Amino acid sequence: MRRFGSFLVVLLIASVLAGCSVPLIPGGVQGYVYIRTGYGAQSADEGGEGATFGEVEVLISAEQTAPNGYEPLVDALVHVANVRTGMGNHNYTNFQGYFMIPNLDAGLSILTVSYHAPRFVVKREIQVHSGEVRLLEPIYTDGWYQDQSKTYYVIIGIENYKYRDSVPGPLEDSWRMHSMLNSSGNRLSHEGRRLTDASATKSAIRSAIQSYVNKGKSSSDHLIIYFSGISGIDFLSPYDDAGLTWNTAITDGELETWVKPFPGKVTLIIDGSHSATMADGSVLWPQAFKKYRYTVLTGAQKNEQVNYDQFLGGSVFTHFLWEGLKNGKADANNDGEITTRELYNYTWGAMDSYYWGAPDKHTPFMYAGDHADTAIYKYR
């Protein structure tokens, strides 16, 4: 993407002068598909229709030469589809196992490799970058596709602080989010926990996050942290924050060091004042969460306070998050899954309507990393 920066700037200026929008520059992917030596010639009838071959190991690589123990997989169907738009393209591997698929929408996409003998399917998330045909990084996988990814939730709500004044709403806010995300109605493979008031000390929050960081096994896993309570510029306040030094707060940089070892995607959902500063790239730790592997959704811009509304029973932001999750209201494409981007779009529109003409309005913020279009909740 960086290689095309100057070109994009020129294109933007030209488009503005011409009174038209900037056209989307498509991207592409290329690579080689290899299979363990000896498996590529198995009969399609071996094991019967739809047989699974857990021992069949497949490698998708940028290297033109197959590694020891592997051979090119010829005539495999490779398909790539953008998660957000649904648009895609496909091609077949040649005698070297090579494929190239151009004209793809940029963003989070699903790569599917399928083959008939032995019969298997491979699916993995990849990123398509605008304006370049990307060589794929090595992907090792078993031959039959099973979505074994797991989503982990840490839900935090602090209303009654040890040293600071209490704030209304976070207990109900955290319960609402917990009741949706950590419920049997969530069809994603998941687990999570809710920390409130005295159970949400700084050490307890770190311990909860660390436990899921340790459980994460692959890049397809997802860690989601929701926080409702006192926050400020580049920090969150745990239960035992005294409000005097940075040592008792959770700063953006410190939180990033806690989640950095997690092998998969990380999403922050922050309901607190000035919460957009967790990804604004300034003040204490520039770029702490302004990185491609993170997605940040917050209830307020960096100069805004969040509001509690007794008629809604909690904060305005979390009320509409909860409403968007219930009955799939935020599911814009009606696919049974709700992504961070869909939740942001729904919440922004709902809050804009709710605050119409009000002087104390606040606006949701989203930093969309590479995984803003990954589902955080699945209801069917």
Side-chain angles (χ1 to χ4, degrees), residues 136-167:
L136 292 174
E137 298 174 357
I139 303 173
Y140 287 89
T141 181
D142 288 339
W144 190 261
Y145 171 65
Q146 274 186 301
D147 186 3
Q148 297 178 334
S149 63
K150 193 151 189 177
T151 302
Y152 301 97
Y153 302 102
V154 179
I155 310 295
I156 305 161
I158 309 170
E159 191 162 315
N160 303 293
Y161 279 83
K162 185 176 183 178
Y163 302 112
R164 310 191 68 171
D165 293 338
S166 62
V167 290

PDB file of all heavy atoms in Angstrom, residues 136-167:
ATOM      1  N   LEU A 136       1.051 -14.506  -0.914  1.00  0.00           N
ATOM      2  CA  LEU A 136       0.533 -14.927   0.377  1.00  0.00           C
ATOM      3  C   LEU A 136       1.629 -15.486   1.271  1.00  0.00           C
ATOM      4  O   LEU A 136       2.516 -16.210   0.823  1.00  0.00           O
ATOM      5  CB  LEU A 136      -0.557 -15.994   0.182  1.00  0.00           C
ATOM      6  CG  LEU A 136      -1.844 -15.478  -0.467  1.00  0.00           C
ATOM      7  CD1 LEU A 136      -2.787 -16.632  -0.740  1.00  0.00           C
ATOM      8  CD2 LEU A 136      -2.530 -14.454   0.426  1.00  0.00           C
ATOM      9  N   GLU A 137       1.544 -15.167   2.551  1.00  0.00           N
ATOM     10  CA  GLU A 137       2.453 -15.738   3.531  1.00  0.00           C
ATOM     11  C   GLU A 137       2.100 -17.215   3.720  1.00  0.00           C
ATOM     12  O   GLU A 137       0.975 -17.641   3.456  1.00  0.00           O
ATOM     13  CB  GLU A 137       2.327 -14.983   4.854  1.00  0.00           C
ATOM     14  CG  GLU A 137       2.716 -13.516   4.736  1.00  0.00           C
ATOM     15  CD  GLU A 137       2.454 -12.749   6.011  1.00  0.00           C
ATOM     16  OE1 GLU A 137       1.916 -13.356   6.963  1.00  0.00           O
ATOM     17  OE2 GLU A 137       2.771 -11.553   6.058  1.00  0.00           O
ATOM     18  N   PRO A 138       3.042 -18.035   4.192  1.00  0.00           N
ATOM     19  CA  PRO A 138       2.792 -19.472   4.319  1.00  0.00           C
ATOM     20  C   PRO A 138       1.579 -19.785   5.205  1.00  0.00           C
ATOM     21  O   PRO A 138       1.413 -19.194   6.279  1.00  0.00           O
ATOM     22  CB  PRO A 138       4.078 -19.998   4.956  1.00  0.00           C
ATOM     23  CG  PRO A 138       5.118 -19.002   4.563  1.00  0.00           C
ATOM     24  CD  PRO A 138       4.423 -17.677   4.542  1.00  0.00           C
ATOM     25  N   ILE A 139       0.729 -20.673   4.727  1.00  0.00           N
ATOM     26  CA  ILE A 139      -0.436 -21.135   5.479  1.00  0.00           C
ATOM     27  C   ILE A 139      -0.414 -22.662   5.464  1.00  0.00           C
ATOM     28  O   ILE A 139      -0.571 -23.286   4.422  1.00  0.00           O
ATOM     29  CB  ILE A 139      -1.757 -20.644   4.856  1.00  0.00           C
ATOM     30  CG1 ILE A 139      -1.775 -19.101   4.764  1.00  0.00           C
ATOM     31  CG2 ILE A 139      -2.944 -21.132   5.674  1.00  0.00           C
ATOM     32  CD1 ILE A 139      -2.973 -18.560   4.012  1.00  0.00           C
ATOM     33  N   TYR A 140      -0.180 -23.258   6.620  1.00  0.00           N
ATOM     34  CA  TYR A 140      -0.274 -24.708   6.766  1.00  0.00           C
ATOM     35  C   TYR A 140      -1.636 -25.044   7.344  1.00  0.00           C
ATOM     36  O   TYR A 140      -2.103 -24.391   8.279  1.00  0.00           O
ATOM     37  CB  TYR A 140       0.811 -25.240   7.712  1.00  0.00           C
ATOM     38  CG  TYR A 140       2.208 -25.247   7.144  1.00  0.00           C
ATOM     39  CD1 TYR A 140       3.037 -24.148   7.276  1.00  0.00           C
ATOM     40  CD2 TYR A 140       2.695 -26.370   6.472  1.00  0.00           C
ATOM     41  CE1 TYR A 140       4.328 -24.144   6.767  1.00  0.00           C
ATOM     42  CE2 TYR A 140       3.987 -26.386   5.958  1.00  0.00           C
ATOM     43  CZ  TYR A 140       4.797 -25.269   6.109  1.00  0.00           C
ATOM     44  OH  TYR A 140       6.073 -25.282   5.606  1.00  0.00           O
ATOM     45  N   THR A 141      -2.261 -26.075   6.828  1.00  0.00           N
ATOM     46  CA  THR A 141      -3.573 -26.449   7.355  1.00  0.00           C
ATOM     47  C   THR A 141      -3.879 -27.897   7.036  1.00  0.00           C
ATOM     48  O   THR A 141      -3.349 -28.477   6.085  1.00  0.00           O
ATOM     49  CB  THR A 141      -4.672 -25.548   6.763  1.00  0.00           C
ATOM     50  OG1 THR A 141      -5.936 -25.922   7.320  1.00  0.00           O
ATOM     51  CG2 THR A 141      -4.741 -25.679   5.259  1.00  0.00           C
ATOM     52  N   ASP A 142      -4.760 -28.507   7.836  1.00  0.00           N
ATOM     53  CA  ASP A 142      -5.283 -29.822   7.501  1.00  0.00           C
ATOM     54  C   ASP A 142      -6.218 -29.692   6.308  1.00  0.00           C
ATOM     55  O   ASP A 142      -6.767 -28.623   6.045  1.00  0.00           O
ATOM     56  CB  ASP A 142      -6.051 -30.427   8.685  1.00  0.00           C
ATOM     57  CG  ASP A 142      -5.118 -30.859   9.805  1.00  0.00           C
ATOM     58  OD1 ASP A 142      -3.929 -31.056   9.522  1.00  0.00           O
ATOM     59  OD2 ASP A 142      -5.587 -30.987  10.946  1.00  0.00           O
ATOM     60  N   GLY A 143      -6.446 -30.788   5.631  1.00  0.00           N
ATOM     61  CA  GLY A 143      -7.150 -30.737   4.366  1.00  0.00           C
ATOM     62  C   GLY A 143      -8.637 -30.539   4.423  1.00  0.00           C
ATOM     63  O   GLY A 143      -9.216 -30.084   3.463  1.00  0.00           O
ATOM     64  N   TRP A 144      -9.316 -30.875   5.517  1.00  0.00           N
ATOM     65  CA  TRP A 144     -10.772 -30.700   5.540  1.00  0.00           C
ATOM     66  C   TRP A 144     -11.113 -29.501   6.397  1.00  0.00           C
ATOM     67  O   TRP A 144     -10.677 -29.381   7.534  1.00  0.00           O
ATOM     68  CB  TRP A 144     -11.472 -31.940   6.076  1.00  0.00           C
ATOM     69  CG  TRP A 144     -12.953 -31.837   5.866  1.00  0.00           C
ATOM     70  CD1 TRP A 144     -13.887 -31.468   6.766  1.00  0.00           C
ATOM     71  CD2 TRP A 144     -13.661 -32.070   4.653  1.00  0.00           C
ATOM     72  NE1 TRP A 144     -15.123 -31.446   6.209  1.00  0.00           N
ATOM     73  CE2 TRP A 144     -15.025 -31.820   4.903  1.00  0.00           C
ATOM     74  CE3 TRP A 144     -13.280 -32.454   3.368  1.00  0.00           C
ATOM     75  CZ2 TRP A 144     -16.007 -31.956   3.920  1.00  0.00           C
ATOM     76  CZ3 TRP A 144     -14.249 -32.590   2.401  1.00  0.00           C
ATOM     77  CH2 TRP A 144     -15.586 -32.357   2.684  1.00  0.00           C
ATOM     78  N   TYR A 145     -11.910 -28.600   5.859  1.00  0.00           N
ATOM     79  CA  TYR A 145     -12.182 -27.354   6.562  1.00  0.00           C
ATOM     80  C   TYR A 145     -13.145 -27.542   7.725  1.00  0.00           C
ATOM     81  O   TYR A 145     -14.232 -28.090   7.578  1.00  0.00           O
ATOM     82  CB  TYR A 145     -12.785 -26.322   5.610  1.00  0.00           C
ATOM     83  CG  TYR A 145     -13.294 -25.097   6.318  1.00  0.00           C
ATOM     84  CD1 TYR A 145     -12.419 -24.256   6.975  1.00  0.00           C
ATOM     85  CD2 TYR A 145     -14.651 -24.812   6.350  1.00  0.00           C
ATOM     86  CE1 TYR A 145     -12.872 -23.128   7.629  1.00  0.00           C
ATOM     87  CE2 TYR A 145     -15.115 -23.686   6.999  1.00  0.00           C
ATOM     88  CZ  TYR A 145     -14.221 -22.851   7.639  1.00  0.00           C
ATOM     89  OH  TYR A 145     -14.688 -21.754   8.292  1.00  0.00           O
ATOM     90  N   GLN A 146     -12.726 -27.107   8.865  1.00  0.00           N
ATOM     91  CA  GLN A 146     -13.592 -26.957  10.015  1.00  0.00           C
ATOM     92  C   GLN A 146     -13.257 -25.617  10.643  1.00  0.00           C
ATOM     93  O   GLN A 146     -12.086 -25.288  10.835  1.00  0.00           O
ATOM     94  CB  GLN A 146     -13.356 -28.050  11.064  1.00  0.00           C
ATOM     95  CG  GLN A 146     -14.134 -29.319  10.847  1.00  0.00           C
ATOM     96  CD  GLN A 146     -13.929 -30.253  12.018  1.00  0.00           C
ATOM     97  OE1 GLN A 146     -12.811 -30.639  12.321  1.00  0.00           O
ATOM     98  NE2 GLN A 146     -14.997 -30.595  12.668  1.00  0.00           N
ATOM     99  N   ASP A 147     -14.284 -24.836  10.922  1.00  0.00           N
ATOM    100  CA  ASP A 147     -14.030 -23.556  11.572  1.00  0.00           C
ATOM    101  C   ASP A 147     -13.751 -23.818  13.045  1.00  0.00           C
ATOM    102  O   ASP A 147     -14.662 -23.996  13.839  1.00  0.00           O
ATOM    103  CB  ASP A 147     -15.233 -22.627  11.411  1.00  0.00           C
ATOM    104  CG  ASP A 147     -14.940 -21.242  11.957  1.00  0.00           C
ATOM    105  OD1 ASP A 147     -13.796 -21.011  12.397  1.00  0.00           O
ATOM    106  OD2 ASP A 147     -15.851 -20.403  11.943  1.00  0.00           O
ATOM    107  N   GLN A 148     -12.483 -23.881  13.402  1.00  0.00           N
ATOM    108  CA  GLN A 148     -12.087 -24.165  14.768  1.00  0.00           C
ATOM    109  C   GLN A 148     -11.684 -22.894  15.514  1.00  0.00           C
ATOM    110  O   GLN A 148     -11.104 -22.968  16.595  1.00  0.00           O
ATOM    111  CB  GLN A 148     -10.933 -25.167  14.765  1.00  0.00           C
ATOM    112  CG  GLN A 148     -11.316 -26.517  14.169  1.00  0.00           C
ATOM    113  CD  GLN A 148     -10.155 -27.485  14.136  1.00  0.00           C
ATOM    114  OE1 GLN A 148      -8.996 -27.083  14.101  1.00  0.00           O
ATOM    115  NE2 GLN A 148     -10.465 -28.769  14.145  1.00  0.00           N
ATOM    116  N   SER A 149     -11.995 -21.746  14.933  1.00  0.00           N
ATOM    117  CA  SER A 149     -11.650 -20.494  15.594  1.00  0.00           C
ATOM    118  C   SER A 149     -12.504 -20.311  16.839  1.00  0.00           C
ATOM    119  O   SER A 149     -13.616 -20.840  16.951  1.00  0.00           O
ATOM    120  CB  SER A 149     -11.863 -19.319  14.639  1.00  0.00           C
ATOM    121  OG  SER A 149     -13.226 -19.200  14.279  1.00  0.00           O
ATOM    122  N   LYS A 150     -11.982 -19.555  17.775  1.00  0.00           N
ATOM    123  CA  LYS A 150     -12.699 -19.298  19.018  1.00  0.00           C
ATOM    124  C   LYS A 150     -12.655 -17.816  19.334  1.00  0.00           C
ATOM    125  O   LYS A 150     -11.645 -17.136  19.077  1.00  0.00           O
ATOM    126  CB  LYS A 150     -12.103 -20.103  20.165  1.00  0.00           C
ATOM    127  CG  LYS A 150     -12.984 -20.129  21.402  1.00  0.00           C
ATOM    128  CD  LYS A 150     -12.786 -21.400  22.189  1.00  0.00           C
ATOM    129  CE  LYS A 150     -13.822 -21.522  23.291  1.00  0.00           C
ATOM    130  NZ  LYS A 150     -13.699 -22.796  24.027  1.00  0.00           N
ATOM    131  N   THR A 151     -13.746 -17.315  19.891  1.00  0.00           N
ATOM    132  CA  THR A 151     -13.849 -15.920  20.283  1.00  0.00           C
ATOM    133  C   THR A 151     -13.875 -15.839  21.801  1.00  0.00           C
ATOM    134  O   THR A 151     -14.625 -16.555  22.453  1.00  0.00           O
ATOM    135  CB  THR A 151     -15.116 -15.274  19.695  1.00  0.00           C
ATOM    136  OG1 THR A 151     -15.086 -15.390  18.267  1.00  0.00           O
ATOM    137  CG2 THR A 151     -15.210 -13.806  20.069  1.00  0.00           C
ATOM    138  N   TYR A 152     -13.054 -14.950  22.342  1.00  0.00           N
ATOM    139  CA  TYR A 152     -12.951 -14.776  23.791  1.00  0.00           C
ATOM    140  C   TYR A 152     -13.420 -13.371  24.156  1.00  0.00           C
ATOM    141  O   TYR A 152     -13.012 -12.388  23.521  1.00  0.00           O
ATOM    142  CB  TYR A 152     -11.508 -14.975  24.252  1.00  0.00           C
ATOM    143  CG  TYR A 152     -10.940 -16.335  23.913  1.00  0.00           C
ATOM    144  CD1 TYR A 152     -10.150 -16.502  22.773  1.00  0.00           C
ATOM    145  CD2 TYR A 152     -11.190 -17.446  24.716  1.00  0.00           C
ATOM    146  CE1 TYR A 152      -9.630 -17.752  22.450  1.00  0.00           C
ATOM    147  CE2 TYR A 152     -10.676 -18.692  24.399  1.00  0.00           C
ATOM    148  CZ  TYR A 152      -9.897 -18.834  23.275  1.00  0.00           C
ATOM    149  OH  TYR A 152      -9.383 -20.072  22.947  1.00  0.00           O
ATOM    150  N   TYR A 153     -14.276 -13.287  25.180  1.00  0.00           N
ATOM    151  CA  TYR A 153     -14.812 -12.002  25.615  1.00  0.00           C
ATOM    152  C   TYR A 153     -14.379 -11.705  27.051  1.00  0.00           C
ATOM    153  O   TYR A 153     -14.516 -12.553  27.942  1.00  0.00           O
ATOM    154  CB  TYR A 153     -16.337 -12.000  25.585  1.00  0.00           C
ATOM    155  CG  TYR A 153     -16.948 -12.292  24.238  1.00  0.00           C
ATOM    156  CD1 TYR A 153     -17.483 -13.548  23.947  1.00  0.00           C
ATOM    157  CD2 TYR A 153     -17.018 -11.313  23.244  1.00  0.00           C
ATOM    158  CE1 TYR A 153     -18.064 -13.819  22.724  1.00  0.00           C
ATOM    159  CE2 TYR A 153     -17.591 -11.568  22.011  1.00  0.00           C
ATOM    160  CZ  TYR A 153     -18.114 -12.832  21.758  1.00  0.00           C
ATOM    161  OH  TYR A 153     -18.687 -13.098  20.543  1.00  0.00           O
ATOM    162  N   VAL A 154     -13.881 -10.498  27.267  1.00  0.00           N
ATOM    163  CA  VAL A 154     -13.667  -9.975  28.612  1.00  0.00           C
ATOM    164  C   VAL A 154     -14.580  -8.758  28.748  1.00  0.00           C
ATOM    165  O   VAL A 154     -14.364  -7.739  28.088  1.00  0.00           O
ATOM    166  CB  VAL A 154     -12.204  -9.576  28.860  1.00  0.00           C
ATOM    167  CG1 VAL A 154     -12.046  -9.009  30.277  1.00  0.00           C
ATOM    168  CG2 VAL A 154     -11.281 -10.780  28.676  1.00  0.00           C
ATOM    169  N   ILE A 155     -15.617  -8.872  29.571  1.00  0.00           N
ATOM    170  CA  ILE A 155     -16.615  -7.825  29.748  1.00  0.00           C
ATOM    171  C   ILE A 155     -16.384  -7.154  31.095  1.00  0.00           C
ATOM    172  O   ILE A 155     -16.412  -7.814  32.139  1.00  0.00           O
ATOM    173  CB  ILE A 155     -18.050  -8.392  29.690  1.00  0.00           C
ATOM    174  CG1 ILE A 155     -18.244  -9.275  28.444  1.00  0.00           C
ATOM    175  CG2 ILE A 155     -19.075  -7.278  29.745  1.00  0.00           C
ATOM    176  CD1 ILE A 155     -18.146  -8.550  27.148  1.00  0.00           C
ATOM    177  N   ILE A 156     -16.166  -5.841  31.090  1.00  0.00           N
ATOM    178  CA  ILE A 156     -15.811  -5.108  32.306  1.00  0.00           C
ATOM    179  C   ILE A 156     -16.805  -3.975  32.532  1.00  0.00           C
ATOM    180  O   ILE A 156     -17.054  -3.176  31.616  1.00  0.00           O
ATOM    181  CB  ILE A 156     -14.387  -4.527  32.201  1.00  0.00           C
ATOM    182  CG1 ILE A 156     -13.367  -5.634  31.884  1.00  0.00           C
ATOM    183  CG2 ILE A 156     -13.997  -3.783  33.488  1.00  0.00           C
ATOM    184  CD1 ILE A 156     -12.062  -5.112  31.337  1.00  0.00           C
ATOM    185  N   GLY A 157     -17.358  -3.897  33.741  1.00  0.00           N
ATOM    186  CA  GLY A 157     -18.250  -2.799  34.101  1.00  0.00           C
ATOM    187  C   GLY A 157     -17.972  -2.345  35.525  1.00  0.00           C
ATOM    188  O   GLY A 157     -18.119  -3.128  36.463  1.00  0.00           O
ATOM    189  N   ILE A 158     -17.557  -1.096  35.684  1.00  0.00           N
ATOM    190  CA  ILE A 158     -17.190  -0.591  37.015  1.00  0.00           C
ATOM    191  C   ILE A 158     -18.024   0.649  37.325  1.00  0.00           C
ATOM    192  O   ILE A 158     -17.866   1.693  36.687  1.00  0.00           O
ATOM    193  CB  ILE A 158     -15.688  -0.250  37.093  1.00  0.00           C
ATOM    194  CG1 ILE A 158     -14.851  -1.434  36.585  1.00  0.00           C
ATOM    195  CG2 ILE A 158     -15.303   0.106  38.523  1.00  0.00           C
ATOM    196  CD1 ILE A 158     -13.393  -1.116  36.399  1.00  0.00           C
ATOM    197  N   GLU A 159     -18.880   0.506  38.299  1.00  0.00           N
ATOM    198  CA  GLU A 159     -19.790   1.582  38.698  1.00  0.00           C
ATOM    199  C   GLU A 159     -19.387   2.197  40.035  1.00  0.00           C
ATOM    200  O   GLU A 159     -19.451   3.404  40.231  1.00  0.00           O
ATOM    201  CB  GLU A 159     -21.217   1.027  38.769  1.00  0.00           C
ATOM    202  CG  GLU A 159     -22.289   2.071  38.922  1.00  0.00           C
ATOM    203  CD  GLU A 159     -23.663   1.525  38.556  1.00  0.00           C
ATOM    204  OE1 GLU A 159     -23.791   0.843  37.509  1.00  0.00           O
ATOM    205  OE2 GLU A 159     -24.604   1.785  39.325  1.00  0.00           O
ATOM    206  N   ASN A 160     -18.993   1.337  40.974  1.00  0.00           N
ATOM    207  CA  ASN A 160     -18.639   1.767  42.325  1.00  0.00           C
ATOM    208  C   ASN A 160     -17.150   1.570  42.540  1.00  0.00           C
ATOM    209  O   ASN A 160     -16.677   0.448  42.746  1.00  0.00           O
ATOM    210  CB  ASN A 160     -19.438   0.974  43.348  1.00  0.00           C
ATOM    211  CG  ASN A 160     -20.937   1.108  43.140  1.00  0.00           C
ATOM    212  OD1 ASN A 160     -21.492   2.188  43.322  1.00  0.00           O
ATOM    213  ND2 ASN A 160     -21.594   0.024  42.721  1.00  0.00           N
ATOM    214  N   TYR A 161     -16.398   2.666  42.496  1.00  0.00           N
ATOM    215  CA  TYR A 161     -14.942   2.614  42.590  1.00  0.00           C
ATOM    216  C   TYR A 161     -14.478   2.631  44.042  1.00  0.00           C
ATOM    217  O   TYR A 161     -15.182   3.117  44.943  1.00  0.00           O
ATOM    218  CB  TYR A 161     -14.338   3.801  41.844  1.00  0.00           C
ATOM    219  CG  TYR A 161     -14.247   3.580  40.347  1.00  0.00           C
ATOM    220  CD1 TYR A 161     -15.348   3.816  39.528  1.00  0.00           C
ATOM    221  CD2 TYR A 161     -13.076   3.123  39.766  1.00  0.00           C
ATOM    222  CE1 TYR A 161     -15.272   3.604  38.159  1.00  0.00           C
ATOM    223  CE2 TYR A 161     -12.988   2.912  38.392  1.00  0.00           C
ATOM    224  CZ  TYR A 161     -14.084   3.153  37.598  1.00  0.00           C
ATOM    225  OH  TYR A 161     -14.006   2.931  36.245  1.00  0.00           O
ATOM    226  N   LYS A 162     -13.277   2.121  44.256  1.00  0.00           N
ATOM    227  CA  LYS A 162     -12.700   2.097  45.600  1.00  0.00           C
ATOM    228  C   LYS A 162     -12.285   3.482  46.056  1.00  0.00           C
ATOM    229  O   LYS A 162     -12.515   3.865  47.216  1.00  0.00           O
ATOM    230  CB  LYS A 162     -11.504   1.143  45.620  1.00  0.00           C
ATOM    231  CG  LYS A 162     -10.885   0.948  46.992  1.00  0.00           C
ATOM    232  CD  LYS A 162      -9.776  -0.086  46.936  1.00  0.00           C
ATOM    233  CE  LYS A 162      -9.194  -0.339  48.329  1.00  0.00           C
ATOM    234  NZ  LYS A 162      -8.130  -1.383  48.286  1.00  0.00           N
ATOM    235  N   TYR A 163     -11.673   4.241  45.181  1.00  0.00           N
ATOM    236  CA  TYR A 163     -11.148   5.554  45.548  1.00  0.00           C
ATOM    237  C   TYR A 163     -11.807   6.708  44.800  1.00  0.00           C
ATOM    238  O   TYR A 163     -11.625   7.862  45.178  1.00  0.00           O
ATOM    239  CB  TYR A 163      -9.636   5.619  45.272  1.00  0.00           C
ATOM    240  CG  TYR A 163      -8.833   4.564  45.995  1.00  0.00           C
ATOM    241  CD1 TYR A 163      -8.208   3.543  45.283  1.00  0.00           C
ATOM    242  CD2 TYR A 163      -8.695   4.581  47.377  1.00  0.00           C
ATOM    243  CE1 TYR A 163      -7.456   2.571  45.925  1.00  0.00           C
ATOM    244  CE2 TYR A 163      -7.951   3.602  48.040  1.00  0.00           C
ATOM    245  CZ  TYR A 163      -7.336   2.609  47.302  1.00  0.00           C
ATOM    246  OH  TYR A 163      -6.608   1.649  47.950  1.00  0.00           O
ATOM    247  N   ARG A 164     -12.548   6.429  43.744  1.00  0.00           N
ATOM    248  CA  ARG A 164     -13.120   7.478  42.916  1.00  0.00           C
ATOM    249  C   ARG A 164     -14.635   7.498  43.066  1.00  0.00           C
ATOM    250  O   ARG A 164     -15.244   6.551  43.562  1.00  0.00           O
ATOM    251  CB  ARG A 164     -12.723   7.286  41.453  1.00  0.00           C
ATOM    252  CG  ARG A 164     -11.228   7.069  41.254  1.00  0.00           C
ATOM    253  CD  ARG A 164     -10.806   7.149  39.813  1.00  0.00           C
ATOM    254  NE  ARG A 164     -10.949   8.510  39.304  1.00  0.00           N
ATOM    255  CZ  ARG A 164     -10.483   8.899  38.130  1.00  0.00           C
ATOM    256  NH1 ARG A 164      -9.850   8.043  37.342  1.00  0.00           N
ATOM    257  NH2 ARG A 164     -10.629  10.141  37.724  1.00  0.00           N
ATOM    258  N   ASP A 165     -15.260   8.588  42.628  1.00  0.00           N
ATOM    259  CA  ASP A 165     -16.715   8.694  42.715  1.00  0.00           C
ATOM    260  C   ASP A 165     -17.381   7.636  41.842  1.00  0.00           C
ATOM    261  O   ASP A 165     -16.853   7.248  40.783  1.00  0.00           O
ATOM    262  CB  ASP A 165     -17.167  10.085  42.259  1.00  0.00           C
ATOM    263  CG  ASP A 165     -16.713  11.184  43.207  1.00  0.00           C
ATOM    264  OD1 ASP A 165     -16.434  10.871  44.380  1.00  0.00           O
ATOM    265  OD2 ASP A 165     -16.628  12.348  42.755  1.00  0.00           O
ATOM    266  N   SER A 166     -18.533   7.185  42.286  1.00  0.00           N
ATOM    267  CA  SER A 166     -19.272   6.198  41.499  1.00  0.00           C
ATOM    268  C   SER A 166     -19.866   6.863  40.259  1.00  0.00           C
ATOM    269  O   SER A 166     -20.081   8.081  40.220  1.00  0.00           O
ATOM    270  CB  SER A 166     -20.385   5.566  42.330  1.00  0.00           C
ATOM    271  OG  SER A 166     -21.327   6.549  42.727  1.00  0.00           O
ATOM    272  N   VAL A 167     -20.102   6.062  39.230  1.00  0.00           N
ATOM    273  CA  VAL A 167     -20.712   6.546  37.990  1.00  0.00           C
ATOM    274  C   VAL A 167     -21.893   5.643  37.659  1.00  0.00           C
ATOM    275  O   VAL A 167     -21.808   4.419  37.817  1.00  0.00           O
ATOM    276  CB  VAL A 167     -19.688   6.546  36.830  1.00  0.00           C
ATOM    277  CG1 VAL A 167     -18.642   7.621  37.045  1.00  0.00           C
ATOM    278  CG2 VAL A 167     -19.021   5.184  36.679  1.00  0.00           C
TER     279      VAL A 167
END
